[in-house]
Amino acid sequence: MTHAVSPKASRGRPVLVTAEQIEAVALRLWSERGYHEVSVADVAAEVGVTARTIFRRYPTKADIVWGPLTDVFRLLAQALEQTSPQAPLFERARTAMVNMIRNGDITPTAQHRIRIVALTPELQSSTSTPFRLWRQSLYDFAVAQPGVGALRAQVFAWSVQSTALAGLIWWVDQDPETAAWQAVDKAFAHLTD
């Protein structure tokens, strides 16, 4: 396995490191050794910067895991809007999620990210900012549809989020040879079994 890391720091000017480099190294280490087994200081040493440098960019360890996911919620909203308004609400969500994942680039870093979330219960907290933003995106879409009230929109948001997450966790943990979009599609199919 190749390791994408920056050169080790030396005296003089600080090493410039990108967010992508920090995330790639941190996610790889946490995926290999465990989220609780590798500290931010360990990540910093591997990247060649100080822990303080990382904490300037990421206020918490969990923020490194979540990385650029807020862009994904914007893409999800767009994918939902591109589905057929005549289709049932859950079918629209299934189509949007599957197409978004199929058209996206599931990199090794993304696989590590999903694996870490799958294996770390506190990262799956329904109160975490990324999870709230994800549900809010789904809720906003649903409540804007004709005849959909607040309760139905909330049930929709929680159900879609849980189903997609279950599919991704199963994919990483049980069947990484399957495409991620296929795992999510299978998870949605089980809602109607």
Side-chain angles (χ1 to χ4, degrees):
M1 177 190 262
T2 60
H3 302 304
V5 295
S6 297
K8 299 291 181 198
S10 60
R11 292 194 179 263
R13 295 192 71 166
V15 174
L16 297 178
V17 63
T18 66
E20 291 80 15
Q21 289 171 308
I22 292 169
E23 289 170 19
V25 170
L27 294 170
R28 177 183 51 78
L29 290 174
W30 292 332
S31 185
E32 291 171 356
R33 300 185 208 160
Y35 181 73
H36 295 294
E37 305 305 318
V38 180
S39 69
V40 172
D42 296 332
V43 172
E46 182 84 10
V47 173
V49 297
T50 65
R52 185 175 175 187
T53 298
I54 292 178
F55 280 124
R56 267 190 244 124
R57 193 169 280 167
Y58 301 94
T60 69
K61 187 175 177 179
D63 290 329
I64 300 171
V65 176
W66 295 119
L69 287 183
T70 52
D71 292 340
V72 172
F73 307 132
R74 182 181 46 76
L75 295 174
L76 175 58
Q78 291 171 353
L80 286 164
E81 290 300 330
Q82 293 170 359
T83 59
S84 171
Q86 288 75 37
L89 206 52
F90 277 98
E91 192 56 38
R92 293 180 74 182
R94 179 182 185 175
T95 300
M97 293 292 294
V98 166
N99 287 341
M100 190 178 80
I101 295 169
R102 185 185 335 201
N103 297 331
D105 184 18
I106 302 292
T107 64
T109 298
Q111 285 182 308
H112 289 315
R113 191 181 311 275
I114 295 165
R115 179 172 174 67
I116 293 159
V117 171
L119 297 174
T120 312
E122 74 233 40
L123 293 174
Q124 299 172 30
S125 167
S126 62
T127 60
S128 72
T129 299
F131 271 52
R132 283 187 289 110
L133 291 172
W134 186 4
R135 277 193 313 277
Q136 189 65 49
S137 179
L138 292 164
Y139 176 89
D140 291 345
F141 166 74
V143 82
Q145 305 310 305
V148 177
L151 178 57
R152 184 174 175 203
Q154 187 167 354
V155 169
F156 169 81
W158 282 81
S159 299
V160 169
Q161 181 182 56
S162 296
T163 303
L165 183 61
L168 290 170
I169 289 171
W170 176 82
W171 168 64
V172 166
D173 217 27
Q174 302 293 322
D175 194 10
E177 300 307 313
T178 297
W181 68 267
Q182 290 173 315
V184 170
D185 194 43
K186 286 179 185 180
F188 274 97
H190 286 301
L191 285 178
T192 56
D193 282 356

